[in-house]
Amino acid sequence: MGDVLGILFGLMFVAIPLLIIGAIVYFILKFKGGSPINFSYRGALRVYFYVVTLVCVGLVVGGVSTLVKVGFGETIGREFSYGDVYADHERVQERILDCQRNVPEYSGVKDEYCPDLSPHEARSLAEKVEFDMKSSLINGISLTLIGSFLLLLHLFGRRWVETGGERSDLLRKLYLITGLAVFAVVTIAALTVGVPAALRYAVLEVDPDHGSPGEPLAVAIVALPVWITYLAATIRTTRS
């Protein structure tokens, strides 16, 4: 995962404890309001559904954005999405040149005088890019399928458990605000990284090892509709 996806999953791990703490505050406020507080298995189940739903949305966003990144690499160019592979390959080539300088009788066998060179590092640039692309494709499909299945399962379960009035209560609003904040930060971060990188790639024709815009742009494209969805749902729930 790249930097932007790291931000996404980092925020998810921060948001989930906040959502749980908010649920506890919700029950405390309910108690102070005079409502009797008994352990509600259904209430705890609602908290579970909201937490896992947020996690599943993050999985789907990560999976789909990875597939979009692969699509960018296939349509625009491999350098557009896999600049880090080019940068790593350049560093490996520098290590091999150092081996040649240190060993005058260097025979051309990469691992003979560079014993710390891994099998992956010894591959050609084309092989490394192809390997990374296939890995991204596998990861993207896996995350998308797993996240989508679990998301649909928990959405159905939550709707089955909740009553009509509970779909606009404080717990529901807390979930929406948490999701809204998470995907707002992710989208803004991805846009601020991806758009300048894409402009530099198109206008300045920088080397791919100076940063590739494929991943942050893919995250922004996928996270933006999710952000808008949470925003619309939050406003609609608040007004109702």
Side-chain angles (χ1 to χ4, degrees):
M1 297 296 177
D3 294 337
V4 179
L5 286 180
I7 293 174
L8 169 62
F9 289 108
L11 287 174
M12 294 296 296
F13 281 110
V14 172
I16 291 170
L18 291 177
L19 185 58
I20 295 174
I21 293 171
I24 296 173
V25 173
Y26 163 74
F27 287 115
I28 293 175
L29 292 177
K30 188 176 180 182
F31 174 74
K32 287 185 176 181
S35 300
I37 295 295
N38 298 318
F39 177 76
S40 171
Y41 180 79
R42 191 171 64 85
L45 193 59
R46 287 185 64 211
V47 174
Y48 160 78
F49 278 131
Y50 280 124
V51 170
V52 178
T53 297
L54 194 59
V55 173
C56 292
V57 173
L59 288 177
V60 174
V61 170
V64 176
S65 62
T66 303
L67 294 178
V68 174
K69 171 188 170 182
V70 175
F72 281 151
E74 287 294 300
T75 56
I76 299 177
R78 301 291 176 88
E79 302 91 344
F80 191 82
S81 294
Y82 302 102
D84 56 335
V85 179
Y86 287 80
D88 291 339
H89 182 74
E90 183 176 343
R91 286 190 289 268
V92 171
Q93 295 304 307
E94 291 175 355
R95 287 170 53 194
I96 296 174
L97 289 176
D98 290 337
C99 293
Q100 295 179 13
R101 297 189 190 99
N102 296 332
V103 183
E105 65 275 13
Y106 180 74
S107 63
V109 181
K110 294 180 180 178
D111 56 355
E112 182 177 351
Y113 299 106
C114 295
D116 59 337
L117 206 65
S118 68
H120 179 72
E121 290 175 330
R123 294 174 177 174
S124 66
L125 176 59
E127 290 174 336
K128 291 177 182 178
V129 174
E130 187 71 18
F131 178 83
D132 204 69
M133 187 199 70
K134 291 180 179 179
S135 297
S136 297
L137 188 62
I138 293 172
N139 292 336
I141 293 174
S142 301
L143 286 177
T144 302
L145 292 178
I146 294 172
S148 299
F149 172 74
L150 294 177
L151 178 61
L152 292 175
L153 185 65
H154 285 81
L155 285 176
F156 175 78
R158 195 189 74 206
R159 288 183 176 274
W160 183 53
V161 168
E162 283 184 337
T163 62
E166 289 175 337
R167 292 174 185 171
S168 59
D169 65 357
L170 181 60
L171 185 58
R172 165 76 173 177
K173 292 176 182 177
L174 178 65
Y175 158 74
L176 292 175
I177 287 295
T178 303
L180 177 63
V182 167
F183 290 103
V185 173
V186 169
T187 305
I188 293 171
L191 287 173
T192 54
V193 173
V195 172
L199 291 176
R200 288 195 299 269
Y201 182 90
V203 177
L204 301 180
E205 297 182 355
V206 296
D207 294 332
D209 58 351
H210 286 90
S212 54
E215 183 173 48
L217 277 184
V219 173
I221 290 172
V222 178
L224 181 59
V226 179
W227 177 21
I228 295 173
T229 300
Y230 271 97
L231 179 60
T234 302
I235 295 174
R236 185 170 59 251
T237 302
T238 302
R239 294 182 64 183
S240 64

